[in-house]
Amino acid sequence: MREDKTGAPSGSEDEPTLHRSIGPMQMALYGLGGMLGAGIYGLIGKAAGQVGNAVWLAFIVALIAALLTALSYASLGSRYPRAAGAAYVTQRAYGFPLLSFMVGLALVCSGLTSIATQSRVFAANFIELIGLDGMPVAGLALGFLMIMSGIVFRGIRESMWVNILCTIVEASGLILVVLVGMSYWGSVNYLETPPTNGDDHAMLIVIQGAILAFFAFIGFEDMYNVAEEVREPQRTIPLGLVVAMVAAAIIYIAVAITAVSVVPWQELSQAPGPITEVVARAAPAIPPILFTGITLFAVANTGLVNFVTASRLLYGMARQGLLPQILGRVHNGRRTPHIAIFLLFLILVPLALSGTIAELASATVLLLLSVFTVVNGALFVLKGRKGEEPGRFEIPRIIPALGALVCLALIVVRVSTGDWRAPAIAGGLLLGCFVLYMAMRAIGSARHALEEDS
């Protein structure tokens, strides 16, 4: 298979390839849209309950922790700009196809559960927005999936324009919160934490809150998987990723300061809709339904980004020989991986209609952290290997090492402080990936034997 000048596979002369149309600004907005999901609207309240007025500090600590892995992804993107890049660098570093396969499918699983979840959240919020309680959630969720599939199939340029619109709307909603509440800044002690029994130090409380806030930054990994549709990916991916992380951090910290300034953290932690409560007190004239509408854009954006990412993961894994080659085909006219998109739609329909995916979605957080650990380790190995070409964005070797340790620590915390269901489901998914891998190997061996006999 030929490779283009970026190092990505380009197929034969007559075979269509993905369309390179993403520039630095689009890349940054794509990453920002992946991080600024509807979850931040509830996360602020939960974090305030743990950390009190110091919730802004928890976001700073979380940013530092997340930035370790994000910088590893930025460096890898400048070195090996490929779709399904995490699976590719895993194979390149460790030479273990099973691990590469499981890393890729773990990311696909996280995308599938996210999209299915967003479809039902979108449907529920849409019903609330228009005030028709009798409308079927399942039907609207199916319609959401069909529209998302159509946009992703239509083209990466169209997907990016929809992403830009949604990102601007959801970011504007959070900026509006800051603007209406900025006059309250300075009204509280921003280092106040909840009372302790004397054993817990204030910094330990902040770190515990940072563990929760860390998940507000998940989404940066989606940027790597559109590498084959990025112009000058060696430069654009690192630049877009860092800009997206910094922009998300500024918005999160500003919203956190505003929230505890307007609403006492004790009340904020108990509010059903913390952000809505902040706006209701700071600017009563703004109707709460406005944020229901903004939530629709945020949910749609998360679903779109995950759909694009999942389809490129299947495409990239197929091009690497980890999945059937048919999933690596690109539509002649639209220049999108249409077979992968169609397969995802077929899987998503029963997932979204079942409505039993909450625990599965929680388990995929563990899978994501496991992937981050492996990918950080891969960069650490590759940076120490002689003969590996450096990228345009290089980082000290200590950064991926620290990133891997942070992710391992988060896995330990999640497993030790939660119930058994999420780890059990995560383990079940990994077992399923292993069984699928062994089945594909058996089929491949049988096909190879038949070819030799003939």
Side-chain angles (χ1 to χ4, degrees), residues 47 51 54-63 205-207 209-211 213-214:
V51 193
V55 63
W56 63 276
L57 188 55
F59 274 100
I60 292 178
V61 175
L63 169 67
I205 294 174
V206 170
I207 292 174
I211 292 172
F214 178 92

Side-chain angles (χ1 to χ4, degrees), residues 98-109:
L98 173 59
L99 180 61
S100 308
F101 182 84
M102 295 179 78
V103 161
L105 278 198
L107 290 171
V108 173
C109 287

Side-chain angles (χ1 to χ4, degrees), residues 156-224:
I156 191 62
R157 182 174 295 171
E158 290 79 1
S159 298
M160 283 294 169
W161 278 115
V162 174
N163 164 256
I164 289 171
L165 171 64
C166 291
T167 301
I168 290 173
V169 171
E170 59 182 318
S172 298
L174 294 173
I175 292 171
L176 176 63
V177 174
V178 176
L179 292 176
V180 300
M182 188 173 287
S183 61
Y184 290 80
W185 283 23
S187 60
V188 299
N189 174 12
Y190 294 107
L191 295 178
E192 179 186 340
T193 56
T196 66
N197 56 15
D199 297 329
D200 294 331
H201 191 272
M203 197 58 207
L204 179 60
I205 294 174
V206 170
I207 292 174
Q208 291 172 343
I211 292 172
L212 179 62
F214 178 92
F215 301 102
F217 292 99
I218 286 180
F220 61 80
E221 72 281 358
D222 294 324
M223 304 171 73
Y224 193 6

Side-chain angles (χ1 to χ4, degrees), residues 219-307:
F220 61 80
E221 72 281 358
D222 294 324
M223 304 171 73
Y224 193 6
N225 291 294
V226 294
E228 292 181 33
E229 292 156 292
V230 175
R231 300 194 304 268
E232 297 185 72
Q234 293 92 339
R235 170 181 172 271
T236 301
I237 292 175
L239 178 61
L241 200 154
V242 172
V243 169
M245 288 287 289
V246 171
I250 292 172
I251 292 173
Y252 288 155
I253 293 167
V255 169
I257 292 173
T258 303
V260 295
S261 298
V262 175
V263 182
W265 65 262
Q266 299 90 338
E267 299 175 30
L268 192 69
S269 65
Q270 301 298 320
I275 295 297
T276 305
E277 181 66 22
V278 171
V279 175
R281 297 196 188 190
I286 297 178
I289 199 71
L290 173 66
F291 282 90
T292 302
I294 292 173
T295 300
L296 289 178
F297 282 90
V299 168
N301 205 15
T302 302
L304 176 66
V305 168
N306 280 283
F307 209 132

